[in-house]
Amino acid sequence: MSRQSRKILRTSLCDLLDIEYPILLAGMGGAANAELAAAVSEAGGLGIIGAINLTPDELDAEIRKLKKLTSKPFGVDTIAPTNIVDGNTIDELRNYIPDEAVAYASKVAQELGIPVPPGTRIGKEGGTGWAAGMTPKQIEVVYEHKVPVFAAALGSPAFMVPEAHARGMKVIGLIGTVNQARKEAEAGVDIIVAQGHEGGGHTGHVGTFPLVRLVSQAVAPTPVVAAGGIVDGRGLVAALALGASGVWCGTAFLCTPEAGIEEVAKAKIIAASERDTRVTRVFTGKTCRLLNTKLIEKWEKEGPILPFPLPIIMSTSLQDYLGKAKMVDNYFIPCGQICGAVTEMKPAKQVVKDMVDEAVRILEEEFPARIKLGR
Ligand SMILES: Cc1cc2nc3c(=O)[nH]c(=O)nc-3n(C[C@H](O)[C@H](O)[C@H](O)COP(=O)(O)O)c2cc1C
């Protein structure tokens, strides 16, 4: 992108975050790595590392990698949930996984032909995830690195607002209802991401259209960023019309060379239509939108649904065996309904540029041609 061909499309969010375009990379655990976050920041948006399953040392390494790739602002996203099974480490959490769940995981693996070595106790070994004790340690790393923006979902980052502000950082809270948004705004969170039901990953019940429209009004003047179902300039323009100051996009960036998911998963997303996702508790214990699979349907019908975050350990363990066997059809692939509009691989820089170019074209040319105004 030459300087001259760069379009201007700014909102107050750009000034607040010191970025060129109001486009934020969703902090997707596993997918939003240093390469992807750096590419989005370099393209003029805000890249956000998804840190949920990173140990403090891994997060430290990821931030160092990003800083070698860009000197532009960036962020880190993790989760801060309440109402969960508490534990400091993943190994501590394994104690809460009941034997029936371990037995069911073996049974389902056998029935679907997933090659798990005999005697493996899925959940009691293997897999990865997040434990409540991880978030404070991740935040320490974020402070040490003077990360400009911190985002948290599945719980409020309000507890860290005073300290983050004292350090000159901005704090983003992800919400799925108007009430949650009001609480975040009252606690002084700088930016609210309103994520609609159609979005990939953990998701609530309210669709993006009503949520963004209602939250933007409810928390003004706190800036609201729209999430869920936005992959292009058309979605960006719609979000701005609903009152948002920018967009937070996950699925849009999954089919980029930089994204940290497997190539076969990217191909599955490209091939998927808007009807191919499902909201389920099987993957993490909380409602999460993924590409639908036989494994998910089967587990939902007959398997135990454990409380968050225990299922993550079991599903990521199964995912490892699925991966080794290249059994793509049963992969756990979080993804939004708008995957129907993701039809090709593109570098992240191109995703940002296309989004901006299309939004500007719609506002400058298409609307005046299609919409007649006047008296
Ligand atoms: C693969 C994937 C992983 C995700 N992981 C996280 C996460 O770790 N933390 C988080 O705050 N949101 C996560 N999300 C949700 C996103 O932040 C975002 O709200 C969502 O992708 C927006 O909808 P869209 O996919 O239609 O763009 C994830 C989404 C996807 C698709």
PDB file of all heavy atoms in Angstrom, residues 159-186:
ATOM      1  N   PHE A 159     -11.645  -4.360  37.427  1.00  0.00           N
ATOM      2  CA  PHE A 159     -10.772  -4.393  38.599  1.00  0.00           C
ATOM      3  C   PHE A 159      -9.401  -3.772  38.336  1.00  0.00           C
ATOM      4  O   PHE A 159      -8.716  -3.345  39.237  1.00  0.00           O
ATOM      5  CB  PHE A 159     -10.602  -5.841  39.096  1.00  0.00           C
ATOM      6  CG  PHE A 159      -9.830  -6.717  38.140  1.00  0.00           C
ATOM      7  CD1 PHE A 159      -8.455  -6.861  38.264  1.00  0.00           C
ATOM      8  CD2 PHE A 159     -10.482  -7.381  37.107  1.00  0.00           C
ATOM      9  CE1 PHE A 159      -7.739  -7.667  37.385  1.00  0.00           C
ATOM     10  CE2 PHE A 159      -9.778  -8.187  36.222  1.00  0.00           C
ATOM     11  CZ  PHE A 159      -8.402  -8.321  36.357  1.00  0.00           C
ATOM     12  N   MET A 160      -8.994  -3.736  37.067  1.00  0.00           N
ATOM     13  CA  MET A 160      -7.647  -3.239  36.797  1.00  0.00           C
ATOM     14  C   MET A 160      -7.625  -1.826  36.210  1.00  0.00           C
ATOM     15  O   MET A 160      -6.553  -1.302  35.905  1.00  0.00           O
ATOM     16  CB  MET A 160      -6.905  -4.194  35.864  1.00  0.00           C
ATOM     17  CG  MET A 160      -7.568  -4.339  34.514  1.00  0.00           C
ATOM     18  SD  MET A 160      -6.675  -5.481  33.460  1.00  0.00           S
ATOM     19  CE  MET A 160      -5.199  -4.531  33.095  1.00  0.00           C
ATOM     20  N   VAL A 161      -8.801  -1.216  36.095  1.00  0.00           N
ATOM     21  CA  VAL A 161      -8.859   0.101  35.436  1.00  0.00           C
ATOM     22  C   VAL A 161      -7.957   1.145  36.118  1.00  0.00           C
ATOM     23  O   VAL A 161      -7.158   1.798  35.447  1.00  0.00           O
ATOM     24  CB  VAL A 161     -10.327   0.594  35.319  1.00  0.00           C
ATOM     25  CG1 VAL A 161     -10.385   2.063  34.943  1.00  0.00           C
ATOM     26  CG2 VAL A 161     -11.075  -0.244  34.284  1.00  0.00           C
ATOM     27  N   PRO A 162      -8.038   1.303  37.475  1.00  0.00           N
ATOM     28  CA  PRO A 162      -7.208   2.361  38.079  1.00  0.00           C
ATOM     29  C   PRO A 162      -5.717   2.170  37.798  1.00  0.00           C
ATOM     30  O   PRO A 162      -5.027   3.114  37.397  1.00  0.00           O
ATOM     31  CB  PRO A 162      -7.508   2.238  39.579  1.00  0.00           C
ATOM     32  CG  PRO A 162      -8.834   1.548  39.650  1.00  0.00           C
ATOM     33  CD  PRO A 162      -8.894   0.636  38.462  1.00  0.00           C
ATOM     34  N   GLU A 163      -5.241   0.936  37.991  1.00  0.00           N
ATOM     35  CA  GLU A 163      -3.802   0.699  37.772  1.00  0.00           C
ATOM     36  C   GLU A 163      -3.424   0.862  36.298  1.00  0.00           C
ATOM     37  O   GLU A 163      -2.396   1.457  35.972  1.00  0.00           O
ATOM     38  CB  GLU A 163      -3.427  -0.710  38.256  1.00  0.00           C
ATOM     39  CG  GLU A 163      -2.019  -1.080  37.842  1.00  0.00           C
ATOM     40  CD  GLU A 163      -1.150  -1.658  38.930  1.00  0.00           C
ATOM     41  OE1 GLU A 163      -1.702  -2.256  39.861  1.00  0.00           O
ATOM     42  OE2 GLU A 163       0.089  -1.512  38.808  1.00  0.00           O
ATOM     43  N   ALA A 164      -4.271   0.335  35.399  1.00  0.00           N
ATOM     44  CA  ALA A 164      -3.991   0.455  33.958  1.00  0.00           C
ATOM     45  C   ALA A 164      -3.934   1.922  33.557  1.00  0.00           C
ATOM     46  O   ALA A 164      -3.028   2.355  32.836  1.00  0.00           O
ATOM     47  CB  ALA A 164      -5.051  -0.291  33.161  1.00  0.00           C
ATOM     48  N   HIS A 165      -4.864   2.708  34.071  1.00  0.00           N
ATOM     49  CA  HIS A 165      -4.874   4.135  33.731  1.00  0.00           C
ATOM     50  C   HIS A 165      -3.637   4.842  34.288  1.00  0.00           C
ATOM     51  O   HIS A 165      -3.050   5.696  33.625  1.00  0.00           O
ATOM     52  CB  HIS A 165      -6.154   4.789  34.234  1.00  0.00           C
ATOM     53  CG  HIS A 165      -7.337   4.475  33.355  1.00  0.00           C
ATOM     54  ND1 HIS A 165      -8.602   4.881  33.619  1.00  0.00           N
ATOM     55  CD2 HIS A 165      -7.418   3.778  32.187  1.00  0.00           C
ATOM     56  CE1 HIS A 165      -9.433   4.466  32.661  1.00  0.00           C
ATOM     57  NE2 HIS A 165      -8.716   3.772  31.791  1.00  0.00           N
ATOM     58  N   ALA A 166      -3.251   4.452  35.501  1.00  0.00           N
ATOM     59  CA  ALA A 166      -2.052   5.067  36.087  1.00  0.00           C
ATOM     60  C   ALA A 166      -0.828   4.778  35.222  1.00  0.00           C
ATOM     61  O   ALA A 166       0.126   5.552  35.195  1.00  0.00           O
ATOM     62  CB  ALA A 166      -1.845   4.535  37.499  1.00  0.00           C
ATOM     63  N   ARG A 167      -0.877   3.662  34.508  1.00  0.00           N
ATOM     64  CA  ARG A 167       0.241   3.283  33.641  1.00  0.00           C
ATOM     65  C   ARG A 167       0.047   3.783  32.216  1.00  0.00           C
ATOM     66  O   ARG A 167       0.786   3.401  31.309  1.00  0.00           O
ATOM     67  CB  ARG A 167       0.401   1.759  33.616  1.00  0.00           C
ATOM     68  CG  ARG A 167       0.865   1.175  34.936  1.00  0.00           C
ATOM     69  CD  ARG A 167       0.715  -0.327  34.938  1.00  0.00           C
ATOM     70  NE  ARG A 167       1.129  -0.916  36.197  1.00  0.00           N
ATOM     71  CZ  ARG A 167       2.357  -1.390  36.434  1.00  0.00           C
ATOM     72  NH1 ARG A 167       3.278  -1.340  35.494  1.00  0.00           N
ATOM     73  NH2 ARG A 167       2.646  -1.912  37.598  1.00  0.00           N
ATOM     74  N   GLY A 168      -1.013   4.543  31.977  1.00  0.00           N
ATOM     75  CA  GLY A 168      -1.239   5.124  30.640  1.00  0.00           C
ATOM     76  C   GLY A 168      -1.845   4.155  29.647  1.00  0.00           C
ATOM     77  O   GLY A 168      -1.793   4.374  28.432  1.00  0.00           O
ATOM     78  N   MET A 169      -2.414   3.051  30.169  1.00  0.00           N
ATOM     79  CA  MET A 169      -3.010   2.052  29.264  1.00  0.00           C
ATOM     80  C   MET A 169      -4.500   2.299  29.076  1.00  0.00           C
ATOM     81  O   MET A 169      -5.153   2.901  29.917  1.00  0.00           O
ATOM     82  CB  MET A 169      -2.871   0.654  29.877  1.00  0.00           C
ATOM     83  CG  MET A 169      -1.490   0.121  29.921  1.00  0.00           C
ATOM     84  SD  MET A 169      -1.488  -1.384  30.946  1.00  0.00           S
ATOM     85  CE  MET A 169      -2.642  -2.415  30.059  1.00  0.00           C
ATOM     86  N   LYS A 170      -5.019   1.752  27.976  1.00  0.00           N
ATOM     87  CA  LYS A 170      -6.472   1.755  27.744  1.00  0.00           C
ATOM     88  C   LYS A 170      -7.012   0.346  28.024  1.00  0.00           C
ATOM     89  O   LYS A 170      -6.328  -0.657  27.754  1.00  0.00           O
ATOM     90  CB  LYS A 170      -6.783   2.103  26.291  1.00  0.00           C
ATOM     91  CG  LYS A 170      -6.292   3.481  25.882  1.00  0.00           C
ATOM     92  CD  LYS A 170      -7.171   4.560  26.454  1.00  0.00           C
ATOM     93  CE  LYS A 170      -6.792   5.939  25.981  1.00  0.00           C
ATOM     94  NZ  LYS A 170      -5.559   6.474  26.587  1.00  0.00           N
ATOM     95  N   VAL A 171      -8.252   0.291  28.544  1.00  0.00           N
ATOM     96  CA  VAL A 171      -8.864  -1.001  28.880  1.00  0.00           C
ATOM     97  C   VAL A 171     -10.148  -1.195  28.070  1.00  0.00           C
ATOM     98  O   VAL A 171     -10.980  -0.289  27.984  1.00  0.00           O
ATOM     99  CB  VAL A 171      -9.180  -1.072  30.392  1.00  0.00           C
ATOM    100  CG1 VAL A 171      -9.850  -2.400  30.746  1.00  0.00           C
ATOM    101  CG2 VAL A 171      -7.905  -0.895  31.206  1.00  0.00           C
ATOM    102  N   ILE A 172     -10.262  -2.382  27.480  1.00  0.00           N
ATOM    103  CA  ILE A 172     -11.441  -2.729  26.670  1.00  0.00           C
ATOM    104  C   ILE A 172     -12.196  -3.858  27.363  1.00  0.00           C
ATOM    105  O   ILE A 172     -11.598  -4.849  27.783  1.00  0.00           O
ATOM    106  CB  ILE A 172     -11.014  -3.229  25.269  1.00  0.00           C
ATOM    107  CG1 ILE A 172     -10.259  -2.136  24.508  1.00  0.00           C
ATOM    108  CG2 ILE A 172     -12.228  -3.710  24.469  1.00  0.00           C
ATOM    109  CD1 ILE A 172      -9.825  -2.550  23.090  1.00  0.00           C
ATOM    110  N   GLY A 173     -13.516  -3.730  27.463  1.00  0.00           N
ATOM    111  CA  GLY A 173     -14.348  -4.815  28.003  1.00  0.00           C
ATOM    112  C   GLY A 173     -15.279  -5.345  26.929  1.00  0.00           C
ATOM    113  O   GLY A 173     -15.878  -4.562  26.186  1.00  0.00           O
ATOM    114  N   LEU A 174     -15.379  -6.665  26.834  1.00  0.00           N
ATOM    115  CA  LEU A 174     -16.308  -7.281  25.862  1.00  0.00           C
ATOM    116  C   LEU A 174     -17.607  -7.636  26.578  1.00  0.00           C
ATOM    117  O   LEU A 174     -17.565  -8.258  27.645  1.00  0.00           O
ATOM    118  CB  LEU A 174     -15.707  -8.567  25.280  1.00  0.00           C
ATOM    119  CG  LEU A 174     -14.924  -8.430  23.974  1.00  0.00           C
ATOM    120  CD1 LEU A 174     -13.561  -7.828  24.262  1.00  0.00           C
ATOM    121  CD2 LEU A 174     -14.769  -9.779  23.299  1.00  0.00           C
ATOM    122  N   ILE A 175     -18.731  -7.296  25.954  1.00  0.00           N
ATOM    123  CA  ILE A 175     -20.015  -7.582  26.607  1.00  0.00           C
ATOM    124  C   ILE A 175     -21.024  -8.130  25.588  1.00  0.00           C
ATOM    125  O   ILE A 175     -20.807  -8.026  24.376  1.00  0.00           O
ATOM    126  CB  ILE A 175     -20.591  -6.320  27.281  1.00  0.00           C
ATOM    127  CG1 ILE A 175     -20.720  -5.163  26.282  1.00  0.00           C
ATOM    128  CG2 ILE A 175     -19.731  -5.874  28.447  1.00  0.00           C
ATOM    129  CD1 ILE A 175     -21.927  -5.159  25.461  1.00  0.00           C
ATOM    130  N   GLY A 176     -22.117  -8.706  26.143  1.00  0.00           N
ATOM    131  CA  GLY A 176     -23.157  -9.234  25.256  1.00  0.00           C
ATOM    132  C   GLY A 176     -24.553  -8.729  25.590  1.00  0.00           C
ATOM    133  O   GLY A 176     -25.515  -9.129  24.954  1.00  0.00           O
ATOM    134  N   THR A 177     -24.636  -7.849  26.633  1.00  0.00           N
ATOM    135  CA  THR A 177     -25.946  -7.264  26.977  1.00  0.00           C
ATOM    136  C   THR A 177     -25.758  -5.790  27.347  1.00  0.00           C
ATOM    137  O   THR A 177     -24.654  -5.356  27.712  1.00  0.00           O
ATOM    138  CB  THR A 177     -26.602  -7.956  28.196  1.00  0.00           C
ATOM    139  OG1 THR A 177     -25.803  -7.677  29.352  1.00  0.00           O
ATOM    140  CG2 THR A 177     -26.739  -9.450  28.022  1.00  0.00           C
ATOM    141  N   VAL A 178     -26.873  -5.053  27.316  1.00  0.00           N
ATOM    142  CA  VAL A 178     -26.830  -3.624  27.651  1.00  0.00           C
ATOM    143  C   VAL A 178     -26.440  -3.430  29.122  1.00  0.00           C
ATOM    144  O   VAL A 178     -25.650  -2.539  29.454  1.00  0.00           O
ATOM    145  CB  VAL A 178     -28.206  -2.968  27.357  1.00  0.00           C
ATOM    146  CG1 VAL A 178     -28.231  -1.523  27.853  1.00  0.00           C
ATOM    147  CG2 VAL A 178     -28.517  -3.030  25.867  1.00  0.00           C
ATOM    148  N   ASN A 179     -26.962  -4.296  30.013  1.00  0.00           N
ATOM    149  CA  ASN A 179     -26.632  -4.155  31.437  1.00  0.00           C
ATOM    150  C   ASN A 179     -25.147  -4.319  31.707  1.00  0.00           C
ATOM    151  O   ASN A 179     -24.559  -3.560  32.471  1.00  0.00           O
ATOM    152  CB  ASN A 179     -27.398  -5.202  32.256  1.00  0.00           C
ATOM    153  CG  ASN A 179     -28.699  -4.628  32.742  1.00  0.00           C
ATOM    154  OD1 ASN A 179     -28.930  -3.429  32.618  1.00  0.00           O
ATOM    155  ND2 ASN A 179     -29.551  -5.489  33.271  1.00  0.00           N
ATOM    156  N   GLN A 180     -24.551  -5.328  31.069  1.00  0.00           N
ATOM    157  CA  GLN A 180     -23.097  -5.510  31.247  1.00  0.00           C
ATOM    158  C   GLN A 180     -22.359  -4.269  30.750  1.00  0.00           C
ATOM    159  O   GLN A 180     -21.397  -3.807  31.370  1.00  0.00           O
ATOM    160  CB  GLN A 180     -22.608  -6.719  30.437  1.00  0.00           C
ATOM    161  CG  GLN A 180     -23.015  -8.067  30.997  1.00  0.00           C
ATOM    162  CD  GLN A 180     -22.731  -9.201  30.006  1.00  0.00           C
ATOM    163  OE1 GLN A 180     -22.472  -8.977  28.821  1.00  0.00           O
ATOM    164  NE2 GLN A 180     -22.807 -10.423  30.491  1.00  0.00           N
ATOM    165  N   ALA A 181     -22.795  -3.737  29.631  1.00  0.00           N
ATOM    166  CA  ALA A 181     -22.132  -2.567  29.048  1.00  0.00           C
ATOM    167  C   ALA A 181     -22.200  -1.383  30.015  1.00  0.00           C
ATOM    168  O   ALA A 181     -21.206  -0.674  30.235  1.00  0.00           O
ATOM    169  CB  ALA A 181     -22.776  -2.208  27.715  1.00  0.00           C
ATOM    170  N   ARG A 182     -23.372  -1.177  30.622  1.00  0.00           N
ATOM    171  CA  ARG A 182     -23.530  -0.050  31.570  1.00  0.00           C
ATOM    172  C   ARG A 182     -22.559  -0.201  32.742  1.00  0.00           C
ATOM    173  O   ARG A 182     -21.915   0.753  33.163  1.00  0.00           O
ATOM    174  CB  ARG A 182     -24.958  -0.028  32.120  1.00  0.00           C
ATOM    175  CG  ARG A 182     -25.945   0.569  31.171  1.00  0.00           C
ATOM    176  CD  ARG A 182     -27.087   1.273  31.920  1.00  0.00           C
ATOM    177  NE  ARG A 182     -28.011   1.836  30.956  1.00  0.00           N
ATOM    178  CZ  ARG A 182     -29.098   1.200  30.502  1.00  0.00           C
ATOM    179  NH1 ARG A 182     -29.404   0.016  30.963  1.00  0.00           N
ATOM    180  NH2 ARG A 182     -29.869   1.775  29.601  1.00  0.00           N
ATOM    181  N   LYS A 183     -22.452  -1.452  33.259  1.00  0.00           N
ATOM    182  CA  LYS A 183     -21.554  -1.689  34.407  1.00  0.00           C
ATOM    183  C   LYS A 183     -20.111  -1.378  34.029  1.00  0.00           C
ATOM    184  O   LYS A 183     -19.373  -0.773  34.799  1.00  0.00           O
ATOM    185  CB  LYS A 183     -21.663  -3.138  34.880  1.00  0.00           C
ATOM    186  CG  LYS A 183     -22.889  -3.363  35.723  1.00  0.00           C
ATOM    187  CD  LYS A 183     -22.870  -4.762  36.340  1.00  0.00           C
ATOM    188  CE  LYS A 183     -24.257  -5.095  36.857  1.00  0.00           C
ATOM    189  NZ  LYS A 183     -24.605  -6.494  36.721  1.00  0.00           N
ATOM    190  N   GLU A 184     -19.708  -1.818  32.831  1.00  0.00           N
ATOM    191  CA  GLU A 184     -18.324  -1.567  32.392  1.00  0.00           C
ATOM    192  C   GLU A 184     -18.077  -0.067  32.275  1.00  0.00           C
ATOM    193  O   GLU A 184     -17.038   0.439  32.694  1.00  0.00           O
ATOM    194  CB  GLU A 184     -18.058  -2.219  31.025  1.00  0.00           C
ATOM    195  CG  GLU A 184     -18.195  -3.725  30.998  1.00  0.00           C
ATOM    196  CD  GLU A 184     -17.038  -4.449  31.663  1.00  0.00           C
ATOM    197  OE1 GLU A 184     -16.025  -3.823  31.984  1.00  0.00           O
ATOM    198  OE2 GLU A 184     -17.169  -5.668  31.865  1.00  0.00           O
ATOM    199  N   ALA A 185     -19.031   0.616  31.679  1.00  0.00           N
ATOM    200  CA  ALA A 185     -18.852   2.064  31.473  1.00  0.00           C
ATOM    201  C   ALA A 185     -18.769   2.777  32.825  1.00  0.00           C
ATOM    202  O   ALA A 185     -17.920   3.647  33.036  1.00  0.00           O
ATOM    203  CB  ALA A 185     -19.998   2.624  30.636  1.00  0.00           C
ATOM    204  N   GLU A 186     -19.631   2.371  33.767  1.00  0.00           N
ATOM    205  CA  GLU A 186     -19.617   3.007  35.097  1.00  0.00           C
ATOM    206  C   GLU A 186     -18.293   2.743  35.813  1.00  0.00           C
ATOM    207  O   GLU A 186     -17.824   3.559  36.593  1.00  0.00           O
ATOM    208  CB  GLU A 186     -20.782   2.491  35.952  1.00  0.00           C
ATOM    209  CG  GLU A 186     -22.075   3.221  35.623  1.00  0.00           C
ATOM    210  CD  GLU A 186     -23.315   2.454  36.075  1.00  0.00           C
ATOM    211  OE1 GLU A 186     -23.185   1.543  36.918  1.00  0.00           O
ATOM    212  OE2 GLU A 186     -24.412   2.766  35.545  1.00  0.00           O
TER     213      GLU A 186
END
